[in-house]
Amino acid sequence: MKEQSNKNGQIKIMLNEKPAPFKEEKKTQARDILENVSIETAAAREEAEEFDWILPEIDPEPREFIQANQKEKNKHPFKTSVKKGNMFHTVSSLLFSLAFAIGLGIAFGIILLKFISAEDSQTPAEPNNPTATSANQAPPANASASLVKIPAMTVYVIQGGVFSNQEAADTLVSQLDEKGIPSVIIENNDSAYTVLLGLASNENEAKQLAAIYAEKEVEVYAKEQSLKEGTFETASKGNATVLNEAISSLPILFDITGKAALGQGVPEDAQTKLSQISSSLQSTEFQDQTSSLLADIILQASTSLETFSQSKNVNDAYQAQQVLLSYIKLNHEIE
């Protein structure tokens, strides 16, 4: 077999120096192989063209600049961006709410003040002491029938001392008690405590009584004591009538009690007067506390003097003195 090439670059295969027949079948197979290769190459090219490439992002700024800029931002970590329109709306809302609240509070306060003023004008004023009033204060017109009047008086008392605390005053009272001397403690407005241990209707008799106490080793001196006048209302007209009659005998009681402590007797007319008062007080039932207390003081003093007029025992006279000293204390507490 020989191969020959012609001018056209074609190769002829010679078999036994004869041209070999060219089989069309082999040529067809070769063509099919080439076409398959072309198709696979084209498919691979299409797949390569459809592949999505992911490229790295390129920083628009250098890294050093970005870090420096980040530090500048971190200097204000709490700074927020607020639009001017929203900020103005928020401030306006707050101011309006505040103004509305203040206005509402003022209006409510004015209404409440008017309501309280109206109630105060309709409520009548009450006296500080419902049981006794001063002479300068006029009693109610509808209470004149049941009104009790306490007269102003001037008496003389034997004073044992003035103390800055009640304990010291109580100690003196206990010592006087042991000696059978009447006494009472009166609290003054300046927080001082005065001990009184006797009374009389005039200065001369008060000094005589002070001398008797001095013999019992009691340091005393006589002084003038003013009793206040006042008024108070009782529960009924009958109570007021009986009590006003009994109170009118107070000057007589002070006079006789002072003389009895000095050993002097009780005049007959005074005995008759005191007996009538005692009987009237015993037969009356008093319905209020002040009337009962005042009636009891006058009744006990009268009874003690009646007993003294019969017994001539000075201790009975001292008992009358003790009762009237309680009246002085009660009168001192009248406002």
Side-chain angles (χ1 to χ4, degrees):
M1 181 179 65
K2 295 181 180 181
E3 293 182 357
Q4 293 181 356
S5 59
N6 57 12
K7 294 180 180 180
N8 295 329
Q10 295 180 351
I11 298 174
K12 291 184 179 181
I13 299 173
M14 301 293 291
L15 186 58
N16 298 320
E17 299 181 354
K18 293 181 179 181
F22 181 76
K23 293 183 179 180
E24 195 68 24
E25 180 178 355
K26 292 182 179 180
K27 185 178 181 179
T28 304
Q29 291 178 352
R31 188 182 296 112
D32 291 339
I33 292 171
L34 291 175
E35 288 179 357
N36 290 334
V37 172
S38 299
I39 292 172
E40 289 178 358
T41 304
R45 188 180 299 112
E46 288 179 358
E47 289 179 358
E49 289 176 356
E50 292 178 358
F51 183 81
D52 292 335
W53 292 93
I54 300 176
L55 300 178
E57 295 181 357
I58 300 176
D59 294 337
E61 298 178 2
R63 184 173 301 277
E64 293 181 355
F65 177 78
I66 293 174
Q67 292 178 352
N69 192 25
Q70 185 67 27
K71 291 181 181 179
E72 290 295 329
K73 291 182 180 180
N74 291 337
K75 289 183 180 180
H76 306 285
F78 300 105
K79 185 175 180 181
T80 57
S81 60
V82 180
K83 293 184 179 181
K84 293 184 178 179
N86 294 338
M87 179 176 174
F88 178 76
H89 178 71
T90 303
V91 173
S92 300
S93 300
L94 290 175
L95 291 177
F96 176 78
S97 300
L98 181 61
F100 180 78
I102 294 174
L104 184 62
I106 294 174
F108 182 79
I110 294 174
I111 295 173
L112 184 61
L113 182 61
K114 289 183 177 180
F115 180 77
I116 294 175
S117 301
E119 283 188 346
D120 291 340
S121 62
Q122 294 176 1
T123 304
E126 296 181 358
N128 293 332
N129 187 358
T131 60
T133 58
S134 63
N136 296 329
Q137 184 176 0
N142 58 356
S144 59
S146 58
L147 200 65
V148 176
K149 298 179 180 180
I150 300 174
M153 295 175 57
T154 299
V155 298
Y156 287 84
V157 296
I158 314 303
Q159 180 172 298
V162 179
F163 303 91
S164 60
N165 59 81
Q166 189 170 358
E167 289 76 11
D170 289 336
T171 301
L172 178 58
V173 168
S174 298
Q175 295 173 356
L176 295 172
D177 236 9
E178 294 175 357
K179 298 178 180 181
I181 299 175
S183 61
V184 70
I185 300 175
I186 294 179
E187 184 177 357
N188 303 320
N189 295 331
D190 55 355
S191 298
Y193 299 88
T194 302
V195 178
L196 302 180
L197 49 143
L199 56 90
S201 60
N202 57 68
E203 184 178 4
N204 186 38
E205 292 178 355
K207 289 181 179 180
Q208 292 180 44
L209 186 57
I212 294 175
Y213 291 156
E215 292 176 359
K216 297 182 180 183
E217 298 181 352
V218 179
E219 296 182 2
V220 295
Y221 72 96
K223 73 168 190 176
E224 187 178 83
Q225 179 80 22
S226 297
L227 302 181
K228 296 177 287 187
E229 64 180 359
T231 58
F232 68 92
E233 187 179 354
T234 60
S236 66
K237 180 179 178 180
N239 285 359
T241 301
V242 173
L243 202 53
N244 280 323
E245 181 65 22
I247 289 173
S248 67
S249 67
L250 281 174
I252 300 175
L253 284 173
F254 276 94
D255 182 47
I256 297 174
T257 301
K259 289 178 169 59
L262 297 174
Q264 301 178 19
V266 180
E268 266 188 51
D269 56 344
Q271 290 184 26
T272 303
K273 176 78 172 175
L274 295 177
S275 180
Q276 291 174 353
I277 290 175
S278 297
S279 177
S280 177
L281 291 173
Q282 288 175 347
S283 61
T284 304
E285 182 179 356
F286 295 96
Q287 301 174 5
D288 61 275
Q289 184 177 1
T290 304
S291 298
S292 298
L293 178 60
L294 190 55
D296 191 51
I297 289 174
I298 297 173
L299 179 60
Q300 289 187 36
S302 301
T303 303
S304 297
L305 289 175
E306 288 178 10
T307 303
F308 171 76
S309 65
Q310 298 174 3
S311 66
K312 306 300 180 182
N313 188 341
V314 72
N315 290 328
D316 294 328
Y318 284 168
Q319 180 62 34
Q321 290 247 335
Q322 181 66 61
V323 173
L324 291 181
L325 284 172
S326 299
Y327 173 79
I328 293 175
K329 180 177 182 178
L330 179 64
N331 183 271
H332 179 77
E333 294 173 354
I334 295 177
E335 298 180 359

